[in-house]
């Protein structure tokens, strides 16, 4: 139960952080991608603000035996860069530009995003459900 | 406009705090596409309650706090084709790549993960090229 409560709190802080930072505003996200137009640097500040404490957390984790409420930390980061990583990231970037939302903000903005936000989430969940079959296709040597 | 970056930094710190808490308390990487996708494709059903609690918090706390504090807007396009195709591509792409802005971006870059950095470079490049074409060449966005 304590793990669920920690998850709930982490999720809540995450949602507030996304909303405060402006990342639930598709105009700001599309502005970040608009390097050929009116470029909006806000997303860079959000990333720096998030990466600095997280780098510290990784440093602390490396000096702990196990997490406070768990038995083990995540394994070391993988180093294999395959077609699934590249193709998946390109498809994600494409969709990100079209609508200006990524998975976190799609959840955080659900209460104030109206019908459009719900439609985006529904389409995103459908995409997630379709991913395993695309992954299987890519894994086959002859496409 | 000039204070937008301050809100970005403050919000970013909260995102980093959340990711730190999830790692140090639960021993997990805070990746939203993974947390959510595992519930969709059943690969994460063994620890569904933790995933659901995180997702619920992400939706519910802004819902509780925002009416009281300020009015947030998404400015999402009213073009449903863009909304639906964007959502589908974000869903399938992040699951294929095993991560999105939170997992690869925040959690990956902060431990100098090659996969995280590569993914982030590719989704930002793909996004910038798409937006440039759609907005400045074809005039759609």
């Amino acid at each position: 139960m304590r793990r669920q409560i920690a998850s709930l709190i982490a999720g809540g802080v995450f949602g507030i952080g996304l909303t405060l930072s402006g990342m639930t505003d598709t105009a700001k996200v599309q502005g970040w991608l608009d390097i050929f137009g009116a470029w909006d640097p806000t997303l860079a500040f959000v990333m720096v603000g998030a990466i600095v404490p997280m780098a510290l957390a990784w440093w602390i984790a490396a000096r702990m035996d196990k997490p406070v409420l768990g038995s083990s930390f995540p394994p070391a980061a993988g180093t294999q860069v395959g077609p699934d990583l590249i193709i998946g990231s390109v498809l994600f970037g494409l969709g990100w530009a079209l609508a200006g939302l990524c998975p976190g903000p799609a959840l955080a903005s659900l209460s104030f995003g109206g019908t459009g936000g719900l439609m985006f989430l529904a389409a995103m969940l459908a995409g997630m459900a379709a991913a395993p079959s695309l992954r299987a296709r890519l894994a086959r040597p002859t496409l | 406009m000039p204070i937008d970056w301050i809100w970005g930094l403050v919000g970013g710190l909260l995102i980093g705090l959340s990711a730190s808490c999830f790692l140090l308390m639960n021993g997990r990487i805070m990746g939203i596409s993974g947390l959510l996708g595992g519930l969709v494709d059943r690969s994460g059903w063994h620890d569904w309650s933790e995933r659901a609690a995180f997702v619920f918090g992400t939706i519910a706390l802004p819902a509780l706090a925002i009416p009281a504090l300020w009015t947030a807007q998404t400015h999402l396009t009213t073009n449903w084709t863009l909304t639906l195709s964007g959502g589908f591509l974000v869903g399938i792409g992040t699951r294929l790549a095993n991560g999105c802005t939170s997992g690869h971006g925040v959690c990956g870059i902060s431990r100098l993960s090659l996969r995280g950095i590569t993914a982030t470079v590719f989704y930002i490049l793909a996004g910038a090229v798409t937006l440039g074409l759609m907005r400045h060449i074809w005039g759609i966005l």
Side-chain angles (χ1 to χ4, degrees):
Chain A
M1 193 61 193
R2 286 189 300 169
R3 283 179 66 100
Q4 282 78 1
I5 292 169
S7 297
L8 183 71
I9 294 169
V13 173
F14 178 63
I16 294 290
L18 282 173
T19 315
L20 266 185
S21 68
M23 293 301 99
T24 52
D25 184 347
T26 61
K28 294 200 78 63
V29 174
Q30 289 179 325
W32 156 260
L33 294 174
D34 193 7
I35 48 176
F36 305 108
W39 186 62
D40 183 334
T42 309
L43 190 140
F45 288 95
V46 181
M47 285 305 266
V48 170
I51 284 171
V52 169
M54 193 53 194
L56 185 68
W58 283 118
W59 186 85
I60 295 170
R63 281 149 190 81
M64 288 167 70
D65 291 332
K66 56 188 178 61
V68 178
L69 301 175
S71 53
S72 62
F73 282 110
T79 52
Q80 196 163 11
V81 175
D84 51 351
L85 185 81
I86 307 288
I87 296 170
S89 295
V90 168
L91 293 179
F92 166 37
L94 240 153
W96 199 31
L98 294 185
L101 286 174
C102 51
L107 293 178
S109 68
L110 207 59
S111 58
F112 54 87
T115 318
L118 279 169
M119 303 228 318
F120 181 90
L121 182 70
M124 186 175 86
L125 295 177
M128 288 179 166
S133 58
L134 178 61
R135 182 188 294 276
R137 282 183 86 94
L138 285 174
R140 279 209 294 271
T142 47
L143 206 74
Chain B
M1 261 320 210
I3 63 156
D4 279 8
W5 67 269
I6 301 177
W7 285 117
L9 204 58
V10 170
L13 283 168
L14 288 176
I15 295 167
L17 191 70
S18 161
S20 304
C21 162
F22 208 43
L23 177 70
L24 297 176
M25 299 298 283
N26 292 27
R28 296 188 69 141
I29 289 176
M30 187 203 69
I32 306 314
S33 55
L35 287 169
L36 198 56
L39 290 175
V40 173
D41 66 18
R42 304 180 181 200
S43 62
W45 279 18
H46 58 283
D47 55 7
W48 68 273
S49 59
E50 253 180 84
R51 294 165 184 263
F54 191 99
V55 169
F56 179 76
T58 306
I59 299 171
L61 208 57
L64 291 174
I66 278 150
L69 297 177
W70 73 96
T71 353
Q73 281 199 332
T74 57
H75 298 113
L76 187 66
T77 173
T78 50
N79 181 332
W80 286 16
T81 311
L82 288 177
T83 303
L84 290 175
S85 51
F88 188 83
L89 287 167
V90 168
I92 199 165
T94 54
R95 282 305 274 161
L96 190 63
N98 244 320
C100 57
T101 348
S102 49
H104 278 318
V106 174
C107 298
I109 293 177
S110 60
R111 64 166 167 172
L112 302 176
S113 151
L114 177 67
R115 282 173 54 83
I117 293 167
T118 309
T120 304
V121 166
F122 274 92
Y123 64 68
I124 288 179
L125 272 179
V129 169
T130 307
L131 194 107
L133 284 172
M134 301 273 294
R135 179 169 288 174
H136 302 295
I137 310 288
W138 300 325
I140 298 169
L141 283 176

